[in-house]
Amino acid sequence: MTADSRPKDNAIKTIGIVGGGQLGRMLALAGAELGLNTHIYCPEADCPAAQVSSAFTAAAYDDEAALSAFAAAVDVVTYEFENIPVATVAHIAATKNVFPSAKALKIAQDRFEEKSFMRMQGFDVADFFDITDLASLEAALAQCDGTGILKTRRFGYDGKGQWRLDGDSELAAVLADLGGQAAILEALVPFEREVSILVARGQDGATACYDVIENVHRNHILHSSTLPAQLPAALQETAKNMAEKLAAALDYVGVLAIECFVVGDALLINEIAPRVHNSGHLTQDACHVGQFEQHMRAITGWPLGDATAHSNAVMSNLLGGQIEQWRDLAAQKATHVHLYGKADARPGRKMGHVTRLSPKNN
Ligand code: AMP
């Protein structure tokens, strides 16, 4: 008798996850449901993902010996945030499959490359301009009626590395703040809504797309997500087609998140994330197969699951001290509380989330 009752026709048993935050934690938990082990690679010792994984390497992203040992210990590798160096992924990819590919990561890491790629593929984005100095910033602003958002090309998240500019802005001071980082100026988009589209793509090119999710940001951080978004059916279809086309163009494997602005009946892509996404957390509880399980399925060669929603849902992040509400939230009907195992509830830190379900009205 064998002690191992996992599926025999799939040799993938251990998934390496680079990055140790809450996304890695929820990927690991979803993997466990499928009988998969996870091995976390993360520089920080007490990370949320390592608490629920079977193995953990605490090492720097440029520690080649540790990366090689990690790659040797796992069957396939993924990553859970997009600011890891492309060189880290390339090093691992020399000996193990990494999904999504370094190509998708490289594009998503640089706003200029990302927006240029979207345009090349025929998708709409806000007007954007490469900024190298005061003259290029003034010229770009003149083309955007004097207003716009200056964004660092790299390493921006949750509103960090962004400056909203208008006629009153002290441009020289803003450029001093920017400190020589490469940047773009984006035209201000008069959007009616912000939405995200999550699509999973398997190694065989099959796709499973979730219904469009509507997002509200506060202080540049995601505050709440609602499924489904209030969009006409035709625009929902356009969004899904766009997501599938984009995933194919990137030769993508895994879950891809696409954040868009809705302006009338147009969708402008703001940015993509080559990973599971905060706005997709509600799929865990509201869809037959949620984003975390879907990602694990895609990278291990399982068939993709049913992305259909069985319920409507609203997800709210629990930031900093809001985690203290957990007891009240946990007692509410049709409510799922997810906590990330972080010890230090610093202001604004993502400590958990809560998803409230309601019946689907169709
Ligand atoms: P980002 O870091 O690019 O996701 O931007 C964070 C948030 O800033 C977005 O979710 C929007 O609410 C807002 N924002 C970003 N870019 C623009 C834009 N070009 N026009 C209007 N609002 C924007």
Side-chain angles (χ1 to χ4, degrees):
M1 209 177 83
T2 166
D4 189 344
S5 60
R6 288 172 288 200
K8 299 290 177 291
D9 63 343
N10 187 339
I12 307 281
K13 302 269 182 277
T14 303
I15 318 303
I17 301 177
V18 183
Q22 64 269 15
L23 301 182
R25 178 186 179 97
M26 290 183 275
L27 284 170
L29 291 170
E33 292 279 346
L34 304 181
L36 300 166
N37 297 325
T38 42
H39 183 150
I40 304 300
Y41 188 107
C42 172
E44 289 93 40
D46 181 29
C47 63
Q51 295 167 6
V52 300
S53 293
S54 36
F56 176 40
T57 299
Y61 290 131
D62 60 357
D63 182 338
E64 294 195 348
L67 287 172
S68 297
F70 167 72
V74 302
D75 299 312
V76 67
V77 175
T78 190
Y79 45 89
E80 62 97 71
F81 85 126
E82 65 269 40
N83 286 337
I84 51 170
V86 169
T88 301
V89 170
H91 184 88
I92 299 168
T95 54
K96 277 288 143 68
N97 279 335
V98 181
F99 300 122
S101 68
K103 175 186 170 182
L105 180 65
K106 190 165 174 292
I107 289 173
Q109 279 186 347
D110 183 320
R111 291 186 192 272
F112 187 80
E113 271 201 51
E114 184 179 48
K115 290 194 156 53
S116 305
F117 180 83
M118 299 308 157
R119 265 209 180 138
M120 225 165 54
Q121 297 298 324
F123 301 119
D124 291 331
V125 294
D127 284 339
F128 65 101
F129 305 87
D130 194 14
I131 301 302
T132 47
D133 53 17
L134 185 59
S136 54
L137 180 56
E138 284 172 344
L141 275 169
Q143 292 199 57
C144 302
D145 295 331
T147 60
I149 303 190
L150 183 71
K151 299 181 178 181
T152 55
R153 280 175 63 156
R154 299 170 62 80
F155 304 122
Y157 66 96
D158 289 345
K160 292 185 177 65
Q162 294 194 12
W163 295 262
R164 198 173 268 245
L165 304 181
D166 58 28
D168 296 332
S169 304
E170 291 287 340
L171 299 186
V174 170
L175 285 178
D177 256 11
L178 184 65
Q181 295 178 81
I184 60 169
L185 182 82
E186 262 180 49
L188 267 185
V189 177
F191 60 81
E192 287 132 40
R193 305 172 187 286
E194 291 190 79
V195 298
S196 52
I197 309 131
L198 277 83
V199 62
R201 187 167 181 274
Q203 294 167 41
D204 57 359
T207 55
C209 195
Y210 292 93
D211 286 341
V212 180
I213 297 161
E214 186 160 337
N215 301 316
V216 174
H217 293 86
R218 283 195 192 156
N219 304 321
H220 298 283
I221 298 179
L222 183 66
H223 169 70
S224 63
S225 295
T226 301
L227 179 77
Q230 292 303 305
L231 289 189
L235 202 50
Q236 292 257 5
E237 265 325 289
T238 306
K240 287 184 174 183
N241 290 339
M242 177 182 86
E244 283 168 7
K245 196 171 151 210
L246 182 53
L250 288 166
D251 201 15
Y252 198 87
V253 173
V255 168
L256 171 69
I258 305 161
E259 291 187 84
C260 294
F261 299 125
V262 181
V263 189
D265 58 3
L267 286 169
L268 270 64
I269 296 180
N270 178 30
E271 60 182 357
I272 61 169
R275 52 168 170 79
V276 285
H277 193 257
N278 194 169
S279 64
H281 290 359
L282 48 68
T283 63
Q284 276 172 313
D285 299 309
C287 299
H288 291 292
V289 173
Q291 65 165 353
F292 299 102
E293 178 176 336
Q294 203 74 277
H295 185 78
M296 296 306 255
R297 285 174 175 240
I299 65 169
T300 53
W302 276 53
L304 296 180
D306 183 357
T308 312
H310 52 71
S311 302
N312 290 343
V314 178
M315 187 276 328
S316 306
N317 277 327
L318 298 174
L319 303 178
Q322 290 173 344
I323 193 178
E324 302 302 337
Q325 303 163 19
W326 69 269
R327 186 178 289 278
D328 289 342
L329 295 169
Q332 293 175 7
K333 282 200 172 16
T335 298
H336 296 255
V337 176
H338 301 263
L339 305 180
Y340 305 152
K342 297 179 182 176
D344 184 10
R346 290 192 296 274
R349 191 176 193 206
K350 290 175 182 169
M351 302 299 292
H353 68 270
V354 56
T355 301
R356 294 189 175 85
L357 301 182
S358 58
K360 231 175 132 172
N361 32 15
N362 61 3

